[in-house]
Amino acid sequence: MRNGVKTWLPGLLLVSPSIVLVGVFVYGLIGRNVYTSLNVTRNIVTDKIVNPGGYRNYTKLLGSDDYQHALWNLLVLTVVFLIGTMVMGLLWSVLLEKGARGEGFFRSVYLFPMAVSFIAGGVVWRWLLSPAQGEGQALGLNQLFIKLHLDGLQNQWWSSPSAFSMAAMAMPAIWQLSGYIMALFLAGFRGISDDQREAARIDGASEWKIYRHVLFPQLSPIALSALIILGHMSMKMFDLIYSIAGPNSYKAMVPATLMWTQMFASNDKVAAAVNATILLVIVAVVVVPYLIYTNRTEQEGR
Amino acid sequence: MTTATDVIPPVTTTGHGAPGSRGSRRVRGIRYALLILFAALVLMPLYVLVVTSLKPSSDVDPSSAWGLPHALSAEGWRSAWDTLAPPLWRSVVLAVSVAVLSAILGAMNGFVFAKWRFPGSHIVFTAFLFGMFIPYQAVMIPLQGMMIGVESQLPWFTGIVKLIVVHTIFGIPICALIFRNYYATAVPTEILEAARVDGAGMLRVFWSVVLPVSAPAFVVTMIWQFTSAWNDFLFALFLTTRQNGPVTYALNELAGGQNPDYPSIMAGVLIASLPTLLVYIALGRYFIGGLMSGSVK
């Protein structure tokens, strides 16, 4: 630590406006939201208790069918989205990492959906994932399947009756974010010195073995970062689902969209606050250990 | 640790294995086939957008949905532009203001966290970072109430003004991170020490030594914030209305009608996405720089 208050105090002063703003708007509002979530509320007309207050508001939401349905959807969405995006991103980076002619072009193409808003992407994907089937009806991908004589592939996508229908909702998300993961992995590959490959090659290792035992292990910190980023994006994904399925869709409901329904369709602010608090806890469980871990490794590296 | 200016470095060697051999040529063929296939898949929605936006709205036959338009029509573009032009300008004001304000705050914070630490600055920084990851749903209900409260006192505090304030504040963490990572590597501590020995105070050091070399971090931060303010929908939905909201709000309204006019909707998507796409095409390497710093490490 530097010598004396006189040296560091100006620094603290320069950051203090931001400390106040983050303190109030992030931590203060989180506190306020948790406080709201504990309230007791009654139905205005019947005076029956809607939210019993305290922790029972939480057990009420956690036990409700709607919320469990939303959690299940979130799980399906997250698993398919994470696997799909990681596999695509890694595959693209492997295809590009040795340098290909036109690399810049492919990189830009793969990454461009990241520059588009989820709302704009969602509007297109709503059309692509239109549930209508059969000649004269089908739009989007179903129509494309008909054109390609792959009629059997037609399906109702996210609105199909299957319990796993949210897997279809992961498609637009994979489309938007695979390029980002590719960029992360590509930077990782380029950070590995060529000598290591050469050494392994001289030892007679096959290309696959070089990836498996030399390159991939060194990418694992990047893979961890990528998983955390994608995971927390998936937990709070709202725009895309809202835009594709519309507001108040039961079929495509996840906690983030259920919160919208609670707030505006059911006019139950307390239940919405409970939902939001649980969402925060889920994200924090993933993110806080990661932040502590990166903070510590950085301290050690200094 | 990834710094703000890191972009993907180029390959250091030219190809591997014997370049002319038959095996490697086959591998390269497969590689290109896959690259082109994936590029086509990624571009497919863009094809749909462009083709559909140029069709007359009478062309509603689903079976020709993937075909090129029989006759080109500007109808869709014109009607989308009429609907989206006012919110589009509001989004320009929003995104530019947020970019500028965020970058100024980010430079100040990043400088302190990297080069002028105070006791506990680490903990404060980590607390900031957490703010970057929170689901905004967790603050949305009280935030909405608070914003309505301010609006009742200050009538001009509506729509875009609200969003400028909110995006600037919730952008503080990421901007502090980008600048901190940049300063940690781009500004040698020795230079600062030398300036300090010469009697320069903190503001003087920041102004004359640090700011003049900050351009890359400014570009990265401003692009990042421009894009996120432009693309945001959640805050817009909770804090603005159809009359004073940004373009994402208007686009969602345009697309959500009962009888979808696809040419107009698809043209609307293109219009609403064009500014960020242009930024991406023109300043792609800085865009990637921002993405990289989002990954903390």
Side-chain angles (χ1 to χ4, degrees), chain B residues 95-109:
Chain B
V96 171
S97 319
V98 168
V100 172
L101 291 171
S102 297
I104 294 169
L105 279 177
M108 286 159 49
N109 296 332

Side-chain angles (χ1 to χ4, degrees), chain A residues 7 27 101 110 147 295 299, chain B residues 32 35 63 66 116 122 126-127:
Chain A
T7 331
Y27 293 93
R101 192 170 301 164
Y110 295 159
K147 283 277 173 302
N295 203 335
Q299 297 284 309
Chain B
Y32 273 103
L35 283 171
S63 60
W66 285 85
W116 211 281
H122 261 104
T126 309

Side-chain angles (χ1 to χ4, degrees), chain A residues 240-257:
Chain A
L240 197 61
I241 299 168
Y242 185 97
S243 153
I244 291 177
N248 309 326
S249 159
Y250 177 78
K251 191 65 218 173
M253 183 190 279
V254 293
T257 56

Side-chain angles (χ1 to χ4, degrees), chain B residues 106-121:
Chain B
M108 286 159 49
N109 296 332
F111 164 68
V112 173
F113 288 130
K115 296 291 173 188
W116 211 281
R117 298 207 189 88
F118 52 88
S121 62

Side-chain angles (χ1 to χ4, degrees), chain A residues 7-8 18 27 92 95 97 101 108 110-111 115 126 135 140 147 175 180 183 190 194 263 290 295 298-299, chain B residues 1 9 11 13 31-32 35 38 42 63 66 109 116 119 122 126-127 144 180 196 255 276 280 291-292:
Chain A
T7 331
W8 58 257
S18 297
Y27 293 93
W92 293 350
L95 288 173
E97 58 103 12
R101 192 170 301 164
S108 307
Y110 295 159
L111 202 57
R126 169 161 47 182
E135 190 59 66
K147 283 277 173 302
W175 174 74
Y180 174 37
R190 299 281 157 86
D194 241 29
M263 180 95 177
Y290 172 71
N295 203 335
E298 201 179 296
Q299 297 284 309
Chain B
M1 168 130 279
V11 273
T13 54
R31 196 144 61 97
Y32 273 103
L35 283 171
F38 285 122
V42 172
S63 60
W66 285 85
N109 296 332
W116 211 281
H122 261 104
T126 309
Q144 197 190 28
R180 188 197 77 137
R196 213 189 289 195
T276 46
Y280 170 62
L291 285 181
M292 296 299 190

Side-chain angles (χ1 to χ4, degrees), chain A residues 1-2 7-8 10-12 14-15 18-19 21-22 24-27 29-30 32-33 88 91-92 95-102 106-120 123-128 135-141 143-144 147 175 180 183-184 186-187 190 194 197-198 201 221 225 228-229 232 236 238-239 242-243 256 259-260 263-264 269 272-273 276 279-280 283-284 287-288 290-291 293-295 297-299 302, chain B residues 1 8-13 15-17 31-32 34-36 38-39 41-46 48-49 52 61-66 105 108-109 111-113 115-119 122 124 126-144 146-147 165-166 169-170 172-173 180 189 193 196 202-203 206 224 227 230-234 237-238 248 251-252 255-256 262 265-266 269 273 276-277 280 287-288 291-292 294-297:
Chain A
M1 196 42 45
R2 300 225 168 73
T7 331
W8 58 257
L12 180 58
L14 197 61
V15 189
S18 297
I19 295 180
L21 288 172
V22 171
V24 170
F25 280 82
V26 174
Y27 293 93
L29 292 183
I30 287 175
R32 181 94 214 155
N33 183 67
M88 276 299 172
L91 179 60
W92 293 350
L95 288 173
L96 286 172
E97 58 103 12
K98 285 180 181 169
R101 192 170 301 164
F106 288 114
R107 236 168 43 191
S108 307
V109 167
Y110 295 159
L111 202 57
F112 105 88
M114 187 74 199
V116 176
S117 67
F118 282 118
I119 282 295
V123 172
V124 190
W125 279 91
R126 169 161 47 182
W127 184 85
L128 286 169
E135 190 59 66
Q137 294 288 317
L139 289 168
L141 291 180
Q143 177 62 234
L144 187 65
K147 283 277 173 302
W175 174 74
Y180 174 37
L184 289 177
L186 207 47
R190 299 281 157 86
D194 241 29
R197 286 179 208 249
E198 281 310 320
R201 208 166 279 134
S225 304
I228 302 280
I229 293 165
H232 100 282
K236 56 192 192 189
F238 174 82
D239 304 9
Y242 185 97
S243 153
M259 186 204 149
W260 166 263
M263 180 95 177
F264 295 100
K269 204 191 260 192
L279 198 60
L280 176 69
V283 171
V287 167
V288 170
Y290 172 71
L291 286 180
Y293 164 78
T294 40
N295 203 335
T297 45
E298 201 179 296
Q299 297 284 309
R302 186 158 277 141
Chain B
M1 168 130 279
I8 300 157
V11 273
T12 44
T13 54
H16 295 275
R31 196 144 61 97
Y32 273 103
L34 285 173
L35 283 171
I36 292 167
F38 285 122
L41 283 176
V42 172
L43 290 174
M44 183 182 65
L46 193 63
V48 170
L49 283 171
T52 312
D61 180 13
S63 60
S64 67
W66 285 85
L105 279 177
M108 286 159 49
N109 296 332
F111 164 68
V112 173
F113 288 130
K115 296 291 173 188
W116 211 281
R117 298 207 189 88
F118 52 88
H122 261 104
V124 173
T126 309
F128 270 34
L129 286 189
F130 181 63
M132 190 170 110
F133 285 102
I134 61 159
Y136 294 131
Q137 283 88 354
V139 295
M140 200 55 85
I141 298 167
L143 180 69
Q144 197 190 28
M146 185 177 172
M147 293 288 133
V165 170
V166 166
I169 292 172
F170 287 100
I172 288 175
R180 188 197 77 137
T189 309
E193 293 296 343
R196 213 189 289 195
M202 184 196 69
L203 286 179
F206 179 55
W224 180 265
T227 313
W230 187 279
N231 286 344
D232 161 71
F233 180 66
L234 187 65
L237 187 64
F238 275 84
T248 43
L251 177 64
N252 186 63
Y262 284 117
I265 292 172
M266 299 303 181
V269 170
S273 310
T276 46
L277 280 180
Y280 170 62
F287 181 82
I288 297 172
L291 285 181
M292 296 299 190
S295 66
V296 187
K297 276 192 75 116

